[in-house]
Amino acid sequence: MPWIREVTKSANLEYNYTDEGLGEKCFKTNNVTGICLPLESCPMIFKNIKDIKKHSAIDQCGFEGNNMLVCCTKQDMLKGPDTEARFRDIVHEIENCEMLYDEFRRTPDEHQLHSQVAIIDGHDSTNCSATLITARYLLTSAQCVFGLDIKKSAVWLGLGNDIENVVQRNEIHSIVPHPKFSSKSHHYNVAVIKLRYPVLIHTSSIPACLWREKAKVPTDMSAVSVQGHEQSPTAVETSALYYSDCRRLYNPELIPSEMCVQYQAQQKCEPREQEELCRQPGSGLFSNLYYGDDMKPVTYIVGIYNNGYQCDKGGPALYTRVSEYFEWIKSVVYLDSQTGE
């Protein structure tokens, strides 16, 4: 838009430049975190930029082609008064996940259902897994949904329970892969799926919370996947390798947004079982933490299956770290939830 170029060239504007890319985490001058988005995708900054008095400084991330990127915070993502209620609700659902759905969580003495697991049935394409993170959004790998025909696909939830009437079938409304994902690389291998309808939350379908800690991962984790919507999810205990060890021993191209995960049951696998274990597109890496006097478990999604890497040779599989994409995931959900569709 011509007027944007005129305004952004104004001598009255000050740019606080950081060398971050599209979809990456950024920090504003007041140390508030945000995500680097195109100017027109950040509602409050885009709305107010014409008024120079309101914006004496713009926290700029750089450029993506000819498009200026700005550091867009949670507060900047509100589109207007008419969407404020929806915006407030989705922020609460993501950022207070641990405090929600308590009446549906099981105690440690009961069988733990894999209530966060969903399967994407692509019919003509390969099935893959996803994780429920709110009543209407799923998290998966970008490779899982690459080339997926939405109109021919279905989503199944509640598969971890033997009671037939708790299984839910849904449809895909839209898919947002990370803007830097390429099918030729395993980097930025993450995508957010919007369901056609909100899921009915109950004991067999409860969203997982997003793991936010970048500096550490839980000690006890399990990789959960499902082969088809007529089968129950399976879980395998895992352990994460230290970043430096994985780079030294297995993958010198490993980046901080990825981690190596060893399946503890690998040595006992038959060749066919090992092949299935090492090919779980979109499946999640989960950990349970327990809260309250009754020790209700809260399930966190820590990683998303990226690729088998050296898994079929007895080495680790590669997972995408959710904490590295926490800000981007929030930005997709917060902005999309205000569309009203």
Side-chain angles (χ1 to χ4, degrees):
M1 296 182 184
W3 67 265
I4 295 182
R5 289 193 291 270
E6 292 301 318
V7 172
T8 54
K9 288 191 296 184
S10 170
N12 296 328
L13 286 177
E14 176 186 344
Y15 293 101
N16 301 310
Y17 182 82
T18 60
D19 189 18
E20 303 292 346
L22 179 62
E24 295 184 358
K25 184 178 179 179
C26 56
F27 291 89
K28 302 195 83 165
T29 50
N30 55 4
N31 211 33
V32 175
T33 59
I35 194 77
C36 292
L37 297 176
L39 174 61
E40 61 272 22
S41 298
C42 187
M44 293 302 291
I45 294 180
F46 184 67
K47 177 182 178 181
N48 295 328
I49 194 171
K50 284 186 177 181
D51 190 342
I52 303 301
K53 293 180 180 178
K54 288 186 179 180
H55 272 70
S56 58
I58 292 179
D59 290 277
Q60 182 188 356
C61 295
F63 286 85
E64 186 73 16
N66 294 324
N67 297 319
M68 185 176 75
L69 303 179
V70 296
C71 190
C72 191
T73 67
K74 177 177 68 178
Q75 289 74 20
D76 295 327
M77 294 177 190
L78 176 62
K79 293 185 176 181
D82 56 332
T83 65
E84 187 169 1
R86 291 199 299 271
F87 181 70
R88 184 174 60 247
D89 289 346
I90 195 65
V91 169
H92 179 71
E93 194 172 359
I94 289 285
E95 300 190 16
N96 295 280
C97 173
E98 295 87 348
M99 304 297 113
L100 303 178
Y101 323 119
D102 187 64
E103 65 272 29
F104 301 119
R105 301 190 192 278
R106 301 294 185 100
T107 66
D109 295 332
E110 299 176 76
H111 175 62
Q112 290 298 306
L113 303 177
H114 305 307
S115 54
Q116 73 283 359
V117 177
I119 185 167
I120 301 169
D121 183 0
H123 296 291
D124 294 335
S125 58
T126 304
N127 292 336
C128 59
S129 302
T131 300
L132 187 68
I133 57 171
T134 77
R136 203 174 171 188
Y137 291 91
L138 305 174
L139 190 63
T140 188
S141 67
Q143 288 177 340
C144 170
V145 293
F146 181 74
L148 185 72
D149 188 340
I150 293 178
K151 294 181 179 179
K152 294 182 179 180
S153 302
V155 176
W156 298 87
L157 302 103
L159 301 172
N161 197 309
D162 293 332
I163 303 174
E164 188 173 340
N165 62 4
V166 302
V167 176
Q168 300 184 58
R169 183 188 184 279
N170 213 312
E171 299 173 1
I172 297 175
H173 176 278
S174 56
I175 299 171
V176 181
H178 194 280
K180 287 194 169 183
F181 170 73
S182 168
S183 60
K184 298 178 181 179
S185 169
H186 55 71
H187 300 325
Y188 303 102
N189 192 7
V190 58
V192 175
I193 297 173
K194 183 178 185 178
L195 296 173
R196 180 72 61 185
Y197 315 103
V199 170
L200 175 64
I201 306 297
H202 58 74
T203 53
S204 295
S205 295
I206 306 173
C209 301
L210 299 170
W211 185 258
R212 308 174 193 182
E213 295 283 345
K214 284 192 173 185
K216 59 183 179 180
V217 296
T219 304
D220 298 321
M221 296 185 293
S222 59
V224 179
S225 62
V226 60
Q227 298 298 322
H229 70 270
E230 296 180 352
Q231 301 182 28
S232 297
T234 57
V236 177
E237 296 303 310
T238 68
S239 57
L241 279 66
Y242 286 112
Y243 177 75
S244 57
D245 289 345
C246 188
R247 281 183 61 93
R248 177 172 54 85
L249 297 173
Y250 297 105
N251 188 354
E253 297 182 358
L254 189 74
I255 61 176
S257 60
E258 300 162 350
M259 62 178 168
C260 291
V261 173
Q262 191 82 45
Y263 298 133
Q264 294 180 7
Q266 243 172 318
Q267 305 302 325
K268 305 176 184 178
C269 287
E270 297 293 330
R272 183 176 178 179
E273 292 175 328
Q274 179 132 324
E275 182 177 351
E276 292 179 353
L277 183 65
C278 294
R279 286 164 176 79
Q280 303 290 346
S283 60
L285 186 67
F286 302 104
S287 181
N288 283 338
L289 297 184
Y290 296 89
Y291 294 86
D293 295 335
D294 52 357
M295 297 292 285
K296 289 289 180 71
V298 173
T299 300
Y300 289 87
I301 176 167
V302 182
I304 307 166
Y305 178 91
N306 193 320
N307 65 74
Y309 192 59
Q310 295 190 14
C311 174
D312 56 353
K313 300 176 183 178
L318 195 65
Y319 277 75
T320 299
R321 296 181 60 193
V322 169
S323 58
E324 291 288 334
Y325 293 97
F326 181 62
E327 296 296 331
W328 177 79
I329 296 166
K330 288 196 304 180
S331 73
V332 172
V333 175
Y334 291 173
L335 291 168
D336 184 81
S337 65
Q338 299 178 72
T339 61
E341 298 177 357

